[in-house]
Amino acid sequence: MSLDGVEHIILVLSGKGGVGKSSVTTQLALTLTQAGHSVGILDIDLTGPSIPHLLNLESATVTQAPGGWIPVTVHDSSPAATTNPDSAPGTSKALGSLRCMSLAFLLHSRTDAVVWRGPKKTAMVRQFLRDVHWGPTSYLLIDTPPGTSDEHISLIETLLLETRPAQLAGAVVVTTPQAVATADVRKELNFCKKTGVKVLGVLENMAGFVCPWCEGCTNVFGNGGGRVMAREFGVRFLGSVPVDPQFGTLVEEGTRPVYPAGTVVAVGGGTVEVGGEEGKVGANGDAIKREGHSISNTDNHENAIPETNTTATSSAPLDSAPDATSASDSDLLVHKYRSCSLCPIFQSITAELVSIIQAEGGADGVAAAR
Protein backbone atom coordinates (compact mmCIF):
# COMPACT_ATOMS: atom_id res chain seq x y z
CA MET A 1 0.00 0.00 0.00
CA SER A 2 1.25 3.51 -0.80
CA LEU A 3 0.81 4.56 2.84
CA ASP A 4 3.57 2.23 4.04
CA GLY A 5 6.08 5.06 4.33
CA VAL A 6 3.71 7.33 6.27
CA GLU A 7 4.34 7.46 10.01
CA HIS A 8 1.20 9.25 11.22
CA ILE A 9 -2.15 9.98 9.57
CA ILE A 10 -4.28 12.87 10.83
CA LEU A 11 -7.84 13.37 9.61
CA VAL A 12 -9.27 16.90 9.48
CA LEU A 13 -13.01 16.52 9.97
CA SER A 14 -16.14 18.57 10.52
CA GLY A 15 -19.83 17.85 10.25
CA LYS A 16 -20.38 21.38 8.96
CA GLY A 17 -19.38 22.95 5.66
CA GLY A 18 -17.69 26.32 5.49
CA VAL A 19 -15.87 26.13 8.82
CA GLY A 20 -12.43 26.33 7.22
CA LYS A 21 -11.21 22.72 7.20
CA SER A 22 -9.02 23.28 4.15
CA SER A 23 -7.42 26.45 5.51
CA VAL A 24 -6.82 24.67 8.83
CA THR A 25 -5.29 21.70 7.00
CA THR A 26 -3.04 24.03 5.01
CA GLN A 27 -1.82 25.88 8.08
CA LEU A 28 -1.25 22.69 10.07
CA ALA A 29 0.84 21.41 7.16
CA LEU A 30 2.88 24.62 6.84
CA THR A 31 3.71 24.76 10.55
CA LEU A 32 4.59 21.06 10.67
CA THR A 33 7.07 21.56 7.83
CA GLN A 34 8.48 24.60 9.63
CA ALA A 35 9.23 22.24 12.53
CA GLY A 36 11.20 20.00 10.17
CA HIS A 37 8.59 17.28 9.53
CA SER A 38 7.93 15.89 6.06
CA VAL A 39 4.22 16.37 5.35
CA GLY A 40 1.66 15.25 2.79
CA ILE A 41 -1.85 16.58 2.21
CA LEU A 42 -4.49 14.31 0.70
CA ASP A 43 -7.57 16.25 -0.40
CA ILE A 44 -10.57 13.91 -0.58
CA ASP A 45 -13.17 16.63 -0.89
CA LEU A 46 -14.02 15.34 -4.35
CA THR A 47 -16.74 17.82 -5.29
CA GLY A 48 -15.05 20.90 -3.85
CA PRO A 49 -11.27 20.44 -3.70
CA SER A 50 -9.69 23.61 -2.27
CA ILE A 51 -6.15 22.60 -1.30
CA PRO A 52 -4.56 23.26 -4.75
CA HIS A 53 -6.00 26.79 -4.73
CA LEU A 54 -4.75 27.51 -1.20
CA LEU A 55 -1.27 26.29 -2.16
CA ASN A 56 -1.29 28.13 -5.51
CA LEU A 57 -0.97 24.86 -7.42
CA GLU A 58 -4.05 24.97 -9.64
CA SER A 59 -1.97 24.69 -12.80
CA ALA A 60 0.02 21.72 -11.48
CA THR A 61 -0.32 18.25 -12.93
CA VAL A 62 0.17 14.85 -11.37
CA THR A 63 2.96 12.56 -12.58
CA GLN A 64 1.91 9.04 -13.43
CA ALA A 65 4.19 6.34 -12.05
CA PRO A 66 4.14 2.55 -12.21
CA GLY A 67 1.23 1.49 -10.05
CA GLY A 68 -0.02 4.97 -9.17
CA TRP A 69 0.63 8.71 -8.92
CA ILE A 70 3.43 10.91 -7.62
CA PRO A 71 2.00 13.71 -5.44
CA VAL A 72 2.63 17.33 -6.43
CA THR A 73 5.54 18.99 -4.61
CA VAL A 74 4.74 22.25 -2.81
CA HIS A 75 8.30 22.68 -1.59
CA ASP A 76 11.26 20.43 -0.94
CA SER A 77 13.04 19.91 2.36
CA SER A 78 15.94 22.20 3.28
CA PRO A 79 18.69 21.77 5.87
CA ALA A 80 18.81 24.19 8.78
CA ALA A 81 21.76 26.07 7.32
CA THR A 82 19.82 27.18 4.23
CA THR A 83 16.22 27.30 5.42
CA ASN A 84 14.12 30.40 6.05
CA PRO A 85 16.28 33.43 5.25
CA ASP A 86 13.97 35.57 7.37
CA SER A 87 14.84 33.84 10.64
CA ALA A 88 17.15 35.39 13.18
CA PRO A 89 20.68 33.93 13.33
CA GLY A 90 20.76 30.71 15.30
CA THR A 91 16.99 30.23 15.30
CA SER A 92 16.41 28.52 11.94
CA LYS A 93 15.31 24.91 11.76
CA ALA A 94 15.41 22.39 8.99
CA LEU A 95 12.42 22.73 6.69
CA GLY A 96 10.42 19.60 5.99
CA SER A 97 9.06 18.80 2.55
CA LEU A 98 5.41 19.32 1.62
CA ARG A 99 3.49 17.45 -1.08
CA CYS A 100 -0.17 17.14 -1.91
CA MET A 101 -2.68 15.17 -3.93
CA SER A 102 -6.15 16.23 -4.99
CA LEU A 103 -8.78 15.34 -7.55
CA ALA A 104 -8.42 18.92 -8.80
CA PHE A 105 -5.11 17.90 -10.40
CA LEU A 106 -6.95 15.34 -12.53
CA LEU A 107 -9.68 17.66 -13.84
CA HIS A 108 -9.41 19.52 -17.15
CA SER A 109 -10.59 22.77 -15.59
CA ARG A 110 -11.18 24.20 -12.13
CA THR A 111 -14.80 24.83 -13.13
CA ASP A 112 -15.48 21.19 -14.04
CA ALA A 113 -18.26 19.75 -11.90
CA VAL A 114 -17.75 16.33 -10.35
CA VAL A 115 -21.13 14.63 -10.66
CA TRP A 116 -20.55 11.22 -9.16
CA ARG A 117 -22.70 8.78 -7.27
CA GLY A 118 -21.59 7.11 -4.06
CA PRO A 119 -19.86 4.03 -5.54
CA LYS A 120 -17.59 6.12 -7.77
CA LYS A 121 -16.69 8.41 -4.84
CA THR A 122 -15.88 5.37 -2.74
CA ALA A 123 -13.65 3.93 -5.48
CA MET A 124 -11.82 7.25 -5.91
CA VAL A 125 -11.09 7.60 -2.18
CA ARG A 126 -9.72 4.06 -2.05
CA GLN A 127 -7.59 4.70 -5.11
CA PHE A 128 -6.13 7.82 -3.52
CA LEU A 129 -5.25 5.85 -0.39
CA ARG A 130 -3.71 2.95 -2.28
CA ASP A 131 -2.14 4.44 -5.40
CA VAL A 132 -0.41 7.68 -4.34
CA HIS A 133 3.30 7.13 -3.72
CA TRP A 134 4.03 9.30 -0.69
CA GLY A 135 7.36 7.74 0.21
CA PRO A 136 8.84 8.52 3.66
CA THR A 137 6.42 11.00 5.25
CA SER A 138 6.15 12.03 8.89
CA TYR A 139 2.56 13.28 8.78
CA LEU A 140 -0.19 12.80 6.21
CA LEU A 141 -3.09 15.23 6.69
CA ILE A 142 -6.34 14.16 5.05
CA ASP A 143 -8.70 17.04 4.25
CA THR A 144 -12.27 15.75 4.14
CA PRO A 145 -15.62 17.07 2.92
CA PRO A 146 -18.28 18.02 5.48
CA GLY A 147 -20.62 15.40 6.87
CA THR A 148 -20.42 11.68 7.45
CA SER A 149 -21.20 10.30 4.01
CA ASP A 150 -19.67 7.98 1.42
CA GLU A 151 -16.20 9.54 1.39
CA HIS A 152 -15.89 9.30 5.17
CA ILE A 153 -17.12 5.72 5.38
CA SER A 154 -14.80 4.61 2.58
CA LEU A 155 -11.88 6.50 4.15
CA ILE A 156 -12.28 5.02 7.62
CA GLU A 157 -12.96 1.48 6.40
CA THR A 158 -9.86 1.50 4.20
CA LEU A 159 -7.64 2.98 6.88
CA LEU A 160 -8.84 0.57 9.55
CA LEU A 161 -8.28 -2.42 7.30
CA GLU A 162 -5.00 -1.51 5.62
CA THR A 163 -2.90 0.61 7.98
CA ARG A 164 -0.72 -0.35 10.90
CA PRO A 165 -2.29 -0.02 14.38
CA ALA A 166 -0.17 3.01 15.29
CA GLN A 167 -0.44 4.71 11.92
CA LEU A 168 -3.84 6.39 12.25
CA ALA A 169 -3.09 9.01 14.90
CA GLY A 170 -6.62 10.40 15.03
CA ALA A 171 -8.72 13.37 13.96
CA VAL A 172 -8.71 17.13 14.41
CA VAL A 173 -12.34 18.26 14.45
CA VAL A 174 -12.94 21.81 13.20
CA THR A 175 -15.89 23.99 14.18
CA THR A 176 -16.87 27.63 14.33
CA PRO A 177 -18.25 29.06 17.58
CA GLN A 178 -21.93 29.45 16.70
CA ALA A 179 -24.57 26.93 17.77
CA VAL A 180 -25.68 26.10 14.22
CA ALA A 181 -22.13 24.86 13.51
CA THR A 182 -21.49 22.99 16.77
CA ALA A 183 -24.85 21.20 16.41
CA ASP A 184 -23.58 19.57 13.20
CA VAL A 185 -20.02 19.07 14.41
CA ARG A 186 -21.35 17.09 17.37
CA LYS A 187 -22.47 14.51 14.80
CA GLU A 188 -18.89 14.27 13.57
CA LEU A 189 -17.67 13.59 17.11
CA ASN A 190 -20.27 10.85 17.40
CA PHE A 191 -19.11 9.50 14.03
CA CYS A 192 -15.56 9.25 15.37
CA LYS A 193 -16.82 7.46 18.47
CA LYS A 194 -18.82 4.94 16.43
CA THR A 195 -16.00 4.23 14.00
CA GLY A 196 -13.29 4.08 16.66
CA VAL A 197 -11.24 7.05 15.45
CA LYS A 198 -9.46 8.91 18.24
CA VAL A 199 -10.26 12.62 18.47
CA LEU A 200 -6.99 14.48 18.96
CA GLY A 201 -8.87 17.66 19.73
CA VAL A 202 -11.39 20.30 18.71
CA LEU A 203 -10.22 23.48 16.98
CA GLU A 204 -12.49 26.53 16.99
CA ASN A 205 -11.97 28.48 13.78
CA MET A 206 -13.16 32.01 12.91
CA ALA A 207 -13.29 32.92 16.59
CA GLY A 208 -13.50 36.68 16.36
CA PHE A 209 -12.69 39.42 13.86
CA VAL A 210 -11.47 42.95 14.46
CA CYS A 211 -12.18 45.73 12.02
CA PRO A 212 -9.04 47.82 11.45
CA TRP A 213 -11.18 50.96 11.18
CA CYS A 214 -13.12 50.86 14.45
CA GLU A 215 -12.54 50.43 18.18
CA GLY A 216 -14.54 47.27 18.77
CA CYS A 217 -14.07 43.56 18.40
CA THR A 218 -16.96 41.64 16.87
CA ASN A 219 -17.46 37.96 17.63
CA VAL A 220 -19.21 37.44 14.32
CA PHE A 221 -20.07 33.82 15.04
CA GLY A 222 -20.36 34.05 18.82
CA ASN A 223 -17.66 32.87 21.20
CA GLY A 224 -16.65 29.73 23.06
CA GLY A 225 -18.93 27.18 21.37
CA GLY A 226 -16.02 24.91 20.45
CA ARG A 227 -14.67 24.86 23.99
CA VAL A 228 -18.08 23.99 25.43
CA MET A 229 -18.58 21.20 22.89
CA ALA A 230 -15.13 19.74 23.59
CA ARG A 231 -15.86 19.75 27.31
CA GLU A 232 -19.19 17.99 26.78
CA PHE A 233 -17.54 15.20 24.78
CA GLY A 234 -14.52 14.93 27.04
CA VAL A 235 -11.97 15.71 24.32
CA ARG A 236 -9.13 18.24 24.16
CA PHE A 237 -9.73 21.79 23.10
CA LEU A 238 -6.79 22.74 20.89
CA GLY A 239 -7.54 26.45 20.74
CA SER A 240 -9.34 29.29 18.98
CA VAL A 241 -8.21 30.80 15.70
CA PRO A 242 -9.40 34.28 14.68
CA VAL A 243 -10.15 35.52 11.19
CA ASP A 244 -7.18 37.30 9.62
CA PRO A 245 -7.95 38.80 6.19
CA GLN A 246 -4.22 38.96 5.48
CA PHE A 247 -4.06 35.16 5.40
CA GLY A 248 -6.62 35.26 2.60
CA THR A 249 -4.53 37.86 0.78
CA LEU A 250 -1.44 35.69 1.23
CA VAL A 251 -2.96 32.59 -0.38
CA GLU A 252 -4.91 34.51 -3.03
CA GLU A 253 -2.26 37.02 -4.13
CA GLY A 254 0.98 35.74 -2.58
CA THR A 255 1.41 38.97 -0.63
CA ARG A 256 3.46 38.68 2.55
CA PRO A 257 1.40 39.89 5.56
CA VAL A 258 2.56 43.13 7.14
CA TYR A 259 1.11 44.45 10.40
CA PRO A 260 1.43 47.77 12.21
CA ALA A 261 3.99 47.90 15.03
CA GLY A 262 2.39 46.68 18.23
CA THR A 263 0.22 44.00 16.62
CA VAL A 264 0.03 41.19 19.18
CA VAL A 265 -1.40 37.69 18.84
CA ALA A 266 -2.45 35.50 21.75
CA VAL A 267 -0.70 32.13 21.85
CA GLY A 268 -1.38 29.82 24.77
CA GLY A 269 -0.81 31.72 27.99
CA GLY A 270 1.28 34.46 26.42
CA THR A 271 1.44 36.85 23.51
CA VAL A 272 3.64 37.18 20.44
CA GLU A 273 4.12 40.49 18.68
CA VAL A 274 3.80 40.14 14.92
CA GLY A 275 3.86 43.81 13.96
CA GLY A 276 7.05 45.72 13.23
CA GLU A 277 10.51 44.19 13.39
CA GLU A 278 10.42 42.45 16.78
CA GLY A 279 8.58 39.34 17.91
CA LYS A 280 7.92 39.65 21.62
CA VAL A 281 6.44 37.34 24.22
CA GLY A 282 4.44 38.97 26.98
CA ALA A 283 2.72 37.69 30.10
CA ASN A 284 -0.82 36.32 29.96
CA GLY A 285 -2.04 38.71 27.28
CA ASP A 286 -5.24 37.38 25.77
CA ALA A 287 -5.80 39.65 22.80
CA ILE A 288 -4.82 40.36 19.25
CA LYS A 289 -4.09 44.07 18.87
CA ARG A 290 -3.83 46.16 15.77
CA GLU A 291 -3.02 49.81 16.24
CA GLY A 292 -4.47 49.75 19.73
CA HIS A 293 -7.61 47.79 18.83
CA SER A 294 -8.01 44.37 20.43
CA ILE A 295 -9.69 41.11 19.57
CA SER A 296 -10.44 38.78 22.44
CA ASN A 297 -8.89 35.36 22.02
CA THR A 298 -8.80 33.75 25.45
CA ASP A 299 -9.68 30.25 24.28
CA ASN A 300 -6.29 29.08 23.08
CA HIS A 301 -4.85 26.20 25.09
CA GLU A 302 -2.91 27.29 28.12
CA ASN A 303 0.35 25.41 28.13
CA ALA A 304 1.92 25.91 24.71
CA ILE A 305 4.00 28.97 25.70
CA PRO A 306 5.09 29.27 29.33
CA GLU A 307 4.06 32.34 31.27
CA THR A 308 6.76 34.96 31.16
CA ASN A 309 7.64 37.85 33.38
CA THR A 310 5.79 41.08 32.65
CA THR A 311 9.14 42.76 32.11
CA ALA A 312 10.14 40.31 29.40
CA THR A 313 12.06 41.95 26.61
CA SER A 314 11.97 41.13 22.94
CA SER A 315 12.95 37.70 21.68
CA ALA A 316 14.21 36.83 18.22
CA PRO A 317 12.33 38.45 15.33
CA LEU A 318 9.28 36.46 14.25
CA ASP A 319 9.81 37.50 10.66
CA SER A 320 11.51 40.45 9.03
CA ALA A 321 11.73 41.63 5.48
CA PRO A 322 13.87 39.40 3.23
CA ASP A 323 16.95 40.80 1.58
CA ALA A 324 17.46 40.77 -2.15
CA THR A 325 19.97 37.92 -2.09
CA SER A 326 17.42 35.50 -0.60
CA ALA A 327 14.34 36.63 -2.52
CA SER A 328 13.85 33.38 -4.42
CA ASP A 329 13.84 31.24 -1.27
CA SER A 330 11.65 33.60 0.72
CA ASP A 331 9.07 33.60 -2.07
CA LEU A 332 7.95 30.19 -0.82
CA LEU A 333 4.52 30.20 0.81
CA VAL A 334 5.93 28.49 3.89
CA HIS A 335 8.32 31.39 4.48
CA LYS A 336 5.80 34.13 3.76
CA TYR A 337 3.39 32.44 6.16
CA ARG A 338 5.82 33.07 9.02
CA SER A 339 4.79 36.73 8.79
CA CYS A 340 1.09 35.87 9.27
CA SER A 341 -0.51 36.53 12.66
CA LEU A 342 -2.01 33.03 12.56
CA CYS A 343 1.38 31.32 12.23
CA PRO A 344 2.37 31.38 15.94
CA ILE A 345 -1.13 30.14 16.86
CA PHE A 346 -0.81 27.14 14.55
CA GLN A 347 2.79 26.55 15.61
CA SER A 348 1.50 26.18 19.15
CA ILE A 349 -1.36 23.90 18.07
CA THR A 350 0.87 21.65 15.97
CA ALA A 351 3.42 21.44 18.78
CA GLU A 352 0.66 20.15 21.04
CA LEU A 353 -0.58 17.68 18.40
CA VAL A 354 2.94 16.30 17.87
CA SER A 355 3.37 15.97 21.64
CA ILE A 356 0.05 14.11 21.94
CA ILE A 357 0.86 11.74 19.08
CA GLN A 358 4.39 11.02 20.26
CA ALA A 359 3.27 10.50 23.84
CA GLU A 360 0.54 8.07 22.91
CA GLY A 361 2.41 6.49 20.04
CA GLY A 362 -0.74 6.51 17.95
CA ALA A 363 -1.73 3.28 19.67
CA ASP A 364 -5.16 4.63 20.48
CA GLY A 365 -5.75 5.94 16.98
CA VAL A 366 -8.16 3.10 16.27
CA ALA A 367 -10.64 1.22 18.40
CA ALA A 368 -9.66 -1.88 20.31
CA ALA A 369 -12.02 -3.83 18.05
CA ARG A 370 -9.52 -3.39 15.24
Side-chain angles (χ1 to χ4, degrees), residues 5 27 44 48 53 74 92 101 122 153 170 189 209 238 257 260 268 316 342:
Q27 293 178 88
I44 66 163
H53 181 73
V74 182
S92 62
M101 182 64 191
T122 296
I153 296 170
L189 290 171
F209 171 82
L238 295 173
L342 303 182

Side-chain angles (χ1 to χ4, degrees), residues 184-243:
D184 287 339
V185 178
R186 281 178 167 83
K187 300 172 186 176
E188 198 75 37
L189 290 171
N190 282 321
F191 171 81
C192 291
K193 183 177 180 180
K194 290 180 179 180
T195 56
V197 174
K198 179 180 180 61
V199 176
L200 297 171
V202 170
L203 188 152
E204 186 179 70
N205 199 25
M206 307 182 193
F209 171 82
V210 63
C211 174
W213 311 114
C214 68
E215 295 293 333
C217 164
T218 302
N219 290 317
V220 182
F221 302 118
N223 184 43
R227 178 183 289 276
V228 171
M229 181 181 67
R231 186 184 304 120
E232 289 177 359
F233 279 82
V235 297
R236 291 179 183 85
F237 181 69
L238 295 173
S240 295
V241 179
V243 175

Side-chain angles (χ1 to χ4, degrees), residues 30-271:
L30 291 174
T31 48
L32 281 169
T33 63
Q34 288 172 0
H37 303 289
S38 56
V39 180
I41 302 177
L42 176 59
D43 183 1
I44 66 163
D45 190 344
L46 303 180
T47 58
S50 301
I51 294 296
H53 181 73
L54 292 172
L55 297 175
N56 193 27
L57 292 173
E58 288 183 295
S59 60
T61 56
V62 174
T63 301
Q64 190 76 32
W69 296 302
I70 303 297
V72 173
T73 298
V74 182
H75 63 253
D76 291 316
S77 60
S78 300
T82 60
T83 193
N84 183 21
D86 305 326
S87 296
T91 63
S92 62
K93 294 181 179 179
L95 180 70
S97 62
L98 177 58
R99 293 162 296 160
C100 71
M101 182 64 191
S102 172
L103 182 63
F105 297 138
L106 306 177
L107 301 176
H108 293 294
S109 167
R110 182 187 175 190
T111 59
D112 287 351
V114 177
V115 187
W116 290 353
R117 295 187 185 274
K120 190 163 185 178
K121 290 183 179 180
T122 296
M124 188 76 255
V125 170
R126 289 176 177 165
Q127 188 172 4
F128 273 156
L129 292 173
R130 292 169 176 163
D131 294 348
V132 180
H133 299 301
W134 295 104
T137 302
S138 300
Y139 292 92
L140 177 64
L141 307 179
I142 302 183
D143 184 33
T144 66
T148 55
S149 57
D150 297 300
E151 294 96 325
H152 303 79
I153 296 170
S154 176
L155 172 67
I156 300 303
E157 284 181 345
T158 304
L159 290 176
L160 292 179
L161 288 173
E162 301 188 19
T163 58
R164 302 184 300 274
Q167 208 171 359
L168 179 55
V172 172
V173 179
V174 182
T175 187
T176 49
Q178 74 272 38
V180 69
T182 57
D184 287 339
V185 178
R186 281 178 167 83
K187 300 172 186 176
E188 198 75 37
L189 290 171
N190 282 321
F191 171 81
C192 291
K193 183 177 180 180
K194 290 180 179 180
T195 56
V197 174
K198 179 180 180 61
V199 176
L200 297 171
V202 170
L203 188 152
E204 186 179 70
N205 199 25
M206 307 182 193
F209 171 82
V210 63
C211 174
W213 311 114
C214 68
E215 295 293 333
C217 164
T218 302
N219 290 317
V220 182
F221 302 118
N223 184 43
R227 178 183 289 276
V228 171
M229 181 181 67
R231 186 184 304 120
E232 289 177 359
F233 279 82
V235 297
R236 291 179 183 85
F237 181 69
L238 295 173
S240 295
V241 179
V243 175
D244 182 0
Q246 292 211 45
F247 173 73
T249 304
L250 170 62
V251 297
E252 293 285 346
E253 302 175 9
T255 304
R256 181 186 291 266
V258 178
Y259 303 91
T263 301
V264 177
V265 59
V267 183
T271 60

